[in-house]
Amino acid sequence: MWKWKRKSKNSCGFWDCKQPIPGGDFLCAEHYRAWEKGFIDQCPNCERFKEIMYPQCLNCYFGRRVTPWKPSVVIPTQQQPYRIEYSDAWIDPHHRPDKFFVYIIRLDDGNLHVGRTADLRQRFRNHKEPGHQPQLDYLHIVATEQAAELRESELKRLIDSNPRQINLMISEFHGRMSELGFE
Ligand SMILES: [Zn+2]
Ligand SMILES: [Zn+2]
C-alpha cells in the first residue's frame, strides 16, 4: 500500500519544519501528532503541511518561491479532520473563560488607554461610540485574570516610566499584524 523509497535526505513535510525524518515518514513526530489530531493539513498549492486555519501555507500565502515537496510515501487519508464548524472554541473563542486580553488602544486625542477584559468584542464595541475611532495598538492574551491584572498594571507603569519601550512594543505589534495581512 505505501510506496517506500530510499532517500538519504528526508525532512518533515510541514512548511517551515526542517526536522530530518526516517525514509518512509512524511512528518516529524511532533507534526505527525498534530496531523493525526487534524490540526494540520496540506497546502493546496505546494502540498506541504500547514495549520488548518490558514487556507495556504505561509510561504504560498506571502507569494514566496517554494521548492516542490516530494513526500517519500503516499500520504494516507486523514482519519479525523478537525471540524472547525463544530467547535465552540472556534465559533466564539473570546467567550472561553480561560482567556483574558490585555490591550492598549489609542483614543482620538492620542492618549493611550490600557485595559483588560475577558470579552474583547464587547469591550471594543463599548469603546467605539459614534464619532470615535479608537485604534488597537497592542494585544496580549493570558490564561488567568490574575495574570491579566499584573500585565495591565505593568503596562500602565511603563506608559508613565518608559514611553520608548511602549512605542517599541506598539510598533512591533503593528509590524506583526501587517505581516499577517491584518493591516
Ligand atoms: Zn515537523
Ligand atoms: Zn504552500
Side-chain angles (χ1 to χ4, degrees):
M1 32 171 232
W2 285 14
K3 275 188 223 151
W4 296 79
K5 256 195 230 161
R6 264 177 222 290
K7 259 193 158 187
S8 52
K9 268 198 180 172
N10 199 18
S11 61
C12 176
F14 191 78
W15 72 274
D16 71 341
C17 183
K18 301 271 193 302
Q19 189 78 21
I21 51 168
D25 285 357
F26 56 96
L27 289 170
C28 69
E30 186 194 324
H31 283 122
Y32 188 79
R33 275 195 300 274
W35 176 78
E36 271 187 320
K37 288 182 187 149
F39 293 139
I40 63 176
D41 62 359
Q42 281 179 281
C43 169
N45 187 46
C46 72
E47 301 199 323
R48 284 171 205 267
F49 287 83
K50 52 144 184 89
E51 307 280 355
I52 201 160
M53 63 272 245
Y54 299 112
Q56 295 182 316
C57 78
L58 288 191
N59 277 337
C60 294
Y61 181 81
F62 287 121
R64 296 178 190 135
R65 190 188 288 271
V66 286
T67 49
W69 178 64
K70 292 254 192 302
S72 62
V73 291
V74 174
I75 293 160
T77 318
Q78 213 159 1
Q79 292 305 308
Q80 298 170 299
Y82 188 44
R83 296 277 173 225
I84 291 176
E85 60 272 32
Y86 298 142
S87 162
D88 289 350
W90 280 101
I91 292 165
D92 208 347
H94 298 153
H95 279 110
R96 286 170 64 172
D98 56 346
K99 279 209 184 131
F100 292 86
F101 301 88
V102 188
Y103 58 86
I104 300 177
I105 56 175
R106 190 178 297 270
L107 304 173
D108 292 341
D109 58 10
N111 283 326
L112 297 178
H113 171 83
V114 183
R116 66 171 198 276
T117 179
D119 190 339
L120 202 58
R121 261 182 273 191
Q122 183 58 45
R123 181 59 55 90
F124 280 7
R125 224 171 283 141
N126 294 345
H127 280 302
K128 277 196 178 174
E129 279 156 18
H132 292 273
Q133 206 51 255
Q135 168 184 300
L136 178 65
D137 264 359
Y138 178 80
L139 185 65
H140 185 79
I141 305 169
V142 294
T144 65
E145 185 154 31
Q146 198 192 12
E149 219 179 301
L150 282 172
R151 188 67 180 147
E152 186 190 13
S153 51
E154 195 180 8
L155 289 174
K156 283 179 174 165
R157 248 198 331 266
L158 266 180
I159 285 178
D160 288 335
S161 66
N162 196 346
R164 265 189 72 180
Q165 173 72 22
I166 285 285
N167 286 334
L168 200 70
M169 284 164 46
I170 289 174
S171 74
E172 265 174 23
F173 172 78
H174 287 295
R176 212 173 307 141
M177 287 297 111
S178 70
E179 199 181 297
L180 291 170
F182 286 113
E183 289 183 359

